[in-house]
Amino acid sequence: MTVHDMKHAASDSARLEAVGGRLSRVDGPAKITGKAHYAFEQQLEGLTHAVLVSATIAAGKVIGIDTRAAETAPGVLAVLTPDTIMVLKGASDWLGNPPAQPTYNPLAREVTFSGQHIAAVVAETFEQAVAAAALVKVSYDETPAIVDLSDGTDGIPIEAMTKEWGNAEAAFAAAPVRVCAAYNTPREFQAAMEPHGLIARWQGDELTIWEPSQWVDGMARTYAEWFGVPFENVRLVSPYIGGGFGSKALALAHSAVAAAAAKMLGRPVKLVLNRPQNFTSYGGRAATRQTVAIGADKAGRIQSIVHRGVNETAVDGMWVEPLGSVTAIMYATPNFSSKQNVVRVNTVVPGAKRAPGENPSAFGIECAIDELAYELGIDPLEMRLINYAEQDPQVKKPWSTRQLREAFAAGAEAFGWAKRSPAPHSMRDGRQLVGWGVAAGTYPVRRAYGEAMVKILADGSVEVESSSIDMGQGTYTILAQTAAETLGVPVEQVTVKLGDSLLARAGVTGGSRLAGVMTGAVYKAASQALDELVGLALSDPRSPFHGLQANTLAVKDGRIASPRGEGPELSIAELMGMLGRERIEAKGDTVPAGFTPEQRYNNYTTIAMALPHTEGDYSRHSWCAHFVEVRVDEDFGTVRVSRVVSALDSGRLYNPKLAESQWKGGIIMGIGQALLEEGIVDRRHGRIVNGNFADYMLPTNADIPDIQTISVGIPDPHSSALGGKGVGELGIVGVAPAIANAVFHATGKRVRDLPITLEKLI
Amino acid sequence: MRDFSYLRADSVEAARNAAALPGAMLLAGGTTLVDLAKCGVAEPSTVIDVSHIEGLNAIDVNSDRAIIGALAKMSHVADHAAVKSQFPAVSEALWQAASAQLRNMATIGGNLMQRTRCPYFRDPANFPACNKRAPGSGCSAIGGITRGHAVLGTSEACIATYPGDLAIALVAFDAEVDLGERRLKIEDFFLAPGATAEQEHDIRPGEIITAIEIPGSAAARRSTYLKVRDRQSYEFAAASAAIGLELEADGRTIRDIRVALGGVATKPWRARSVEDALKGKALDEASVRKASELAMEGAVDHGANHYKIALAPRVIARAILKLGETA
Amino acid sequence: MTSQTHAGQTIIDPPEDGQFRNGQATNGSTPSPTTLSLHLTINGQTHALEVEPRVTLLDALRERLHLTGTKKGCDQGQCGACTVHVDGERVLACLTLAAQVEGRSVTTIEGLAGEDGTLNAVQAAFLEQDAFQCGYCTPGQIMSAVACIREGHAGSDEEIREYMAGNLCRCGAYPHIVAAVRQAAQELRS
């Protein structure tokens, strides 16, 4: 066995380029010059354009579709309806469960939500397709719709969500201090700036899809099953993704329409959802309602937590937003009960939005603990420390690492928490009421097996290949850093290729797992490639190192030499030339030995093989503490966030510059959630009326103060090969309760329904 | 968007002639027309591009008056030094509207023709009933989501809020709109819906706005525009106020005051009752707040917009108090 | 009657039958949309294209001229992703008809760097400050930032925030965008 010396010279550039260095994005130059071509920006000969016709009712039957005017409109090639579109096969779900129905029609005769796709027009130009789609007349037999959580029954119990220990109800009843309140979060949307859409092209029975994707292999599997072609016949290409936030992991109805239209027409079809359709064609975060009851002793020690949650799901699809996930682990309690129901309403199936489960869960428990703190007259930060969980209260295992105490300390220090005036409504600046709030957040470490290809080429350059993707988290960059460090080459010699299902396979990019999975896989592949290079250098008679009394060689800055400095020193390119090699390539993976091809396939195309975060001896999570200052206008009730300090534990950071950006992005999305974002449904129509960027408001630059993030993480060897924990979702968890708590501190008004808009404070 | 023919006019006369064509609509900045064409609300058969007409974008300001050409861009007027000094409320209303990009496109004349942001008005595919779009079809907003809708100047036919900012300042300072053959007070140019919600402006076929004129005054020189909204920027007003103030030599007695409201009414709303209550009175917080409540006389809410009745007087009061604090 | 089919020409008289299509009177039957022959100056180069009058500058750039650096985020004037410069001023390409900009000079993100590839100071600052993540709003942010500085609206962080508010960023790069604009403005002043 050879041993590699991977230590770099302590030069600035080496520090920058190594894992953990603040290297700027390697995909940055393409993105700032307009040269980065996103998936559906490919230019194809004979491209046609499809536009969807969407249901204008929330429930009922389609009884007629008049397509005559559209069919004769200029440029129209086809008008597809439920009766004329090709029927697809049912596809398995993301767990790999076989389809419930043998066939699938992506255009609906039975309408279960407003915005459901009814028909599609394909034309030579985008403008012609848009104009013709407006000419399609659909008639309906409308039936009453269930529009929100409060309309239904108590819903359907989800037994798998039940978590209980001790006797929570009795302990709550007996507790000397009790708080109990209901917390609501509305329907929220991922609202990535790049809309959903795709280009589909058939060549014989081979399908190429250019589509923004958080999971090219999983989506390729769905297409293959829909059309009954082998998985290998589907190529899904997604070089850059203009934001996903959970929404771009699955092939959806509009995807099927485009691929079917391309098959039927024998021409490539481009279909991009317009912005309003991006609010109705796939699920945002489900609306949720939680009741949190906490009983404590007079010293503030929690005796019991009783939690009940409900989220909306669709009439014909199931989504569970796990509302008890943070509730069960954040604080030590001897008695606990959490149960959850779902209520079916006429909506598109809700989906994953940044930190599904943990985000609304934290809103409940982190507001409730704040209420308890005021009830007892204990500082909210002290309250959290009194009830600090030294181990996972639910599974009773030690934390792998939990730097939450350190996060509270570092955040409080940087924020100046000690100068806080304790009473509500006691700090002001002119006519602005000032409030300081704190809340904690957490996200589990989701782990999976991964693979990667690393190639050392004749010119000394290195290629890293993976079908994983970069939607802004920095995959291109950290994988280049990992390969550069492992191989000992400058990072500019490394090219990373991502987002193509032809490349080494990868599972879903979601749940903040990708960086941990892929750095591990690239490290392994690069180590294997280096092993082979060094092995050849020592054993091949053509090598100048041949016969050297060494059992290893070191590579540094792309040059290879004996670690003791004897013998020659040459570049990798020179060595490759002498060895007569075009390339050395190694596919490395972290898959357990003995996995069958079927298991490997399922590992990459389903989420069923992911490792539980409590597997083995530890409970693995990332952690954070947010400190927020708000200013509330005493006349207008408008809330503006004026300061944020967050201390976060994501373990080891592979690139702090990019990790900080992701954390801040999560915090900013949390500010939007707290103050602005709400899908508003007209009850008469069961339809979102603010499905656009003027009325569903995202924060603008003017809404966001400077944000200070502090990394308090330490390498966590139980969470990933290189010691990192999740980054992407963590930042948003706990932001909304920190803001709500700050608003209470500023005004004395407790707002438990997000978003905190001005009329709730006026 | 349905297809249309495109014509460029290079003179006002040519534009007037072309505008008389059936189905013709004028295109200046495009921020309203192109947007509404995409929504399926505007369906011009001919678009007359007037944006290349020369000589209509002048900004001419002195202490007596401002004359602003119809094709002057919102951004240019907002940043104009003399507008800032002589009519601060006009500049502030402009830079707080829309975004920098939209203000570079939108013209002053076009801005006066801006349509409501009522979500039901803007979505004919899902909400066919709208008296503004299809007279007699009904109002989808009444009984629906009304958080942004008007509480003043509404009718059974329409409760859509006038969305603009500039016109609020113009109404406060008695500006006039030049239509060539006719000149109208801005206040009269805008029409409340009544039974004819489709008629938003007193403008006749073939008429084109060529300029606006704003009389100068001490109140205009000491003026401000306060805009309150959920988001800090790039949003229409929840409630806004354009205020002008002139004090007597004693520095506390109100000689002249102008009060106009945005975001709460179906048209730019002059609140003369507030002005009348304050003229000749000392400027103090209690009396300002009391008088500001008068602006809501006759206000009618539709549920979710009830907060505007509480909010608007506070916006007025705060704007007056802010002006009072400035020397 | 005097009229021309070409954009840039003047209409003197309406036709007597009241029907008027791209400058040509018709018999009043089904309108026959006519394409316009446009010559657009984009990044210093003249491009000839035949488009319907309803084609926006954004779709002309992306679908006809294959200049996809200008992004379509909302297509309704609500996000800023399509920001380009027309005669040096930032505007939204999604609400601009292609026909409107004939005779004007259009600059897109592809035309911002020097011919030798030298990055504009704003581009370089965006990279250094990590002022983007997914990169989809980025061309619009950068075009907006260049204009923001040129307009003199980058005098303070508060002013930068307000004058960059028309460019939404869902990844939440705002604080870094402010830092990048501040940095580029300082470099350009010195």
Side-chain angles (χ1 to χ4, degrees), chain A residues 696-720:
Chain A
Y696 181 89
M697 273 177 294
L698 312 182
T700 70
N701 205 321
D703 293 283
I704 302 304
D706 200 20
I707 293 169
Q708 183 182 355
T709 57
I710 303 165
S711 176
V712 294
I714 54 174
D716 183 339
H718 308 295
S719 286
S720 62

Side-chain angles (χ1 to χ4, degrees), chain B residues 1-8 10 14 17 21-22 27-31 34-35 38 45-46 49 51-52 76 79 95 99-105 117 122 231-234, chain C residues 7-12 14-15 18 20-23 33 53-54 56 75 77-79 83 89-92 94-97 99-100 102 104 144 151 153 162-163 165-167:
Chain B
M1 195 188 322
R2 84 178 226 191
D3 203 11
F4 48 76
S5 53
Y6 170 86
L7 303 170
R8 263 191 198 185
D10 69 359
N17 287 339
L21 292 168
L27 175 74
T31 56
V34 178
D35 176 36
K38 288 184 179 188
S45 53
T46 304
D49 182 354
S51 65
H52 295 255
H76 296 178
D79 285 348
W95 75 253
S99 71
Q101 291 94 314
L102 289 162
R103 297 192 295 268
N104 278 340
M105 303 168 71
R117 302 295 299 192
R122 289 174 57 80
R231 195 157 77 173
Q232 179 68 23
S233 185
Y234 202 7
Chain C
Q9 302 297 318
T10 305
I11 304 312
I12 305 302
F20 214 81
R21 296 286 160 199
N22 291 333
R54 62 185 166 184
T56 62
D75 207 22
Q78 300 169 348
C79 79
T83 302
E89 295 197 324
R90 49 175 159 165
V91 302
L92 300 180
C94 74
L95 294 184
T96 302
L97 298 181
Q100 272 177 286
E102 190 172 54
R104 305 207 190 278
S144 199
E151 291 159 9
H153 288 310
E162 170 59 34
Y163 280 84
N167 292 82

